[in-house]
Amino acid sequence: MSLTLQSPPFSALSSSLQQGRSRFLPGAGSTASNLVVFNNVRKSFPLIRASSSSLDTGSNTELDAVSSFSEIVPDTVIFDDFERFPPTAATVSSSLLLGICSLPDTVFRNAVEMALADSTCYGLENADLRLSCFVNKALVNVGGDLAKLVPGRVSTEVDPRLAYDTHGIIRKVHDLLKLYNEINVPPERLLFKIPSTWQGIEASRLLESEGIQTHLTFVYSFAQAAAAAQAGASVIQIFVGRLRDWARNHSGDPEIEAAISRGEDPGLALVTKAYNYIHKYGHKSKLMAAAVRNKQDLFSLLGVDYIIAPLKVLQSLKDSVTAPDEKYSFVRRLSPQSAALYNFSKEELVKWDQLSLASAMGPATVDLLAGGLEGYVNQAKRVEELFGKIWPPPNV
């Protein structure tokens, strides 16, 4: 990893953005963590190891036990947590760039500064195109550095302002992929994070047909999950806690009210239904449960491909020792066998298109998708504003 440069423009701005020398948090309206794991070879790259004390006693932690069912992902945006909960892959986003720029000593600073000194971007006369070029280069430079540090895939956020522009998304992904190719990061190490609008889902379908791996986010309904699976998205991300939060403060969403009437949590119910659909009908997608709030949520999701868990939950699991005979008391809740027994209605088994998806998206999905996109757009604008202030860097 190259050493960071200490430039006056970054130093001057870091005080206004600073959240602490070892910590940075997403900006207002943030909708996802910066670091997530997409590790396909769990046994080769164990995400978190048991503490030495549990190994010495012949016991395992609860974290060891649950990790045998699902890939447990630390939900962290704190560099100092890498040693405690080391990621095996990462997501590069606007909020990550903001965090890097707020820190005077992060190893990723040089990647951003090199992007701002890029001669190709520097030569663009149009200011908007120049800023877009700088952001693309910064995302890819940071992604390239992360690819050297982690064994898994690096997911790169696609500009959320393109969420309703299929061809714009595809062009952006092609541009990013070209930049990654220039720094020798192969396509199999990459994912591209796209909002689950119809246009985003269609872009995912077309990109996957080219062999480009996509990560569809902001999934809040079965219709979105099923359409994403039909599109062949590599990773589908559902936000458990956000659906629960919406249900506590709103009403009138048929899908949520149906889950509640069955005595089920709407977020957990959606993950279960999506998982069963993917596995019963042979779709290739991997399912990620995000916004998991507590241990009970995590226990209820065992068997799903990935679970993004808060650090406080992971620490509690890591600190809880289980005797060898107790680890078998953890039950896999989701499995291909149980999925085969799940019954879907005719309406749920349609070939989803733009009209049917729009008709099936209830008020919860509409509200949460709009809120998530607004947060992402605000962060993207903040990055551009910041880059506009600190460009050109020294010696350019």
Side-chain angles (χ1 to χ4, degrees), residues 306-373:
Y306 310 110
I307 301 175
I308 301 180
L311 294 183
K312 63 179 182 180
V313 173
L314 294 183
Q315 192 63 55
S316 176
L317 292 168
K318 192 174 184 180
D319 292 341
S320 300
V321 177
T322 60
D325 57 338
E326 290 177 346
K327 66 181 179 180
Y328 300 108
S329 64
F330 291 91
V331 177
R332 179 169 184 166
R333 303 289 182 176
L334 304 175
S335 69
Q337 293 74 26
S338 62
L341 302 176
Y342 194 93
N343 293 318
F344 293 89
S345 68
K346 288 184 178 180
E347 292 77 16
E348 293 168 336
L349 296 178
V350 299
K351 175 65 176 175
W352 293 95
D353 57 24
Q354 186 171 6
L355 180 59
S356 60
L357 180 67
S359 300
M361 287 170 57
T365 304
V366 173
D367 289 351
L368 292 168
L369 178 59
L373 285 173

Side-chain angles (χ1 to χ4, degrees), residues 61-278:
T61 67
E62 287 185 346
L63 188 54
D64 293 318
V66 299
S67 296
S68 65
F69 298 102
S70 298
E71 187 77 25
I72 308 301
V73 180
D75 186 1
T76 181
V77 290
I78 305 172
F79 290 131
D80 285 356
D81 288 322
F82 284 17
E83 288 189 13
R84 281 197 302 148
F85 301 106
T88 57
T91 289
V92 186
S93 64
S94 295
S95 63
L96 180 61
L97 295 182
L98 289 171
I100 291 169
C101 292
S102 75
L103 297 175
D105 53 2
T106 169
V107 294
F108 299 106
R109 260 265 300 281
N110 187 52
V112 175
E113 291 178 342
M114 292 301 293
L116 291 173
D118 183 80
S119 59
T120 301
C121 301
Y122 182 83
L124 296 173
E125 294 184 2
N126 182 284
D128 291 338
L129 292 177
R130 186 165 60 242
L131 276 176
S132 178
C133 182
F134 285 146
V135 172
N136 287 351
K137 287 291 294 186
L139 288 169
V140 169
N141 285 354
V142 173
D145 280 354
L146 285 168
K148 298 172 186 176
L149 297 175
V150 299
R153 293 178 284 184
V154 174
S155 183
T156 304
E157 177 186 286
V158 175
D159 191 332
R161 290 165 290 191
L162 300 172
Y164 292 96
D165 181 355
T166 296
H167 295 293
I169 292 171
I170 292 173
R171 284 194 297 271
K172 177 64 73 173
V173 170
H174 285 164
D175 289 344
L176 293 169
L177 195 58
K178 180 180 178 181
L179 293 175
Y180 272 117
N181 183 62
E182 290 175 0
I183 59 173
N184 299 314
V185 180
E188 58 267 22
R189 294 290 313 280
L190 300 170
L191 286 158
F192 294 94
K193 193 173 183 179
I194 300 169
S196 294
T197 59
W198 170 254
Q199 292 80 4
I201 293 170
E202 184 66 3
S204 172
R205 182 183 68 81
L206 294 170
L207 290 166
E208 292 281 352
S209 71
E210 299 177 29
I212 300 171
Q213 300 175 106
T214 59
H215 167 195
L216 284 175
T217 187
F218 296 149
V219 173
Y220 299 106
S221 64
F222 173 74
Q224 285 176 294
Q230 290 178 1
S234 295
V235 176
I236 300 171
Q237 186 169 349
I238 295 175
F239 294 88
V240 175
R242 292 179 197 168
L243 282 165
R244 180 185 304 147
D245 294 342
W246 192 95
R248 285 173 176 165
N249 300 294
H250 304 82
S251 61
D253 187 286
E255 190 170 348
I256 286 179
E257 292 185 353
I260 293 173
S261 70
R262 298 191 302 267
E264 299 176 357
D265 176 88
L268 298 176
L270 177 57
V271 172
T272 299
K273 193 171 187 177
Y275 177 93
N276 289 339
Y277 178 82
I278 290 169

Side-chain angles (χ1 to χ4, degrees), residues 3-11 103-106 109-110 113 394:
L3 296 175
T4 60
L5 301 177
Q6 300 299 324
S7 63
F10 268 109
S11 301
L103 297 175
D105 53 2
T106 169
R109 260 265 300 281
N110 187 52
E113 291 178 342

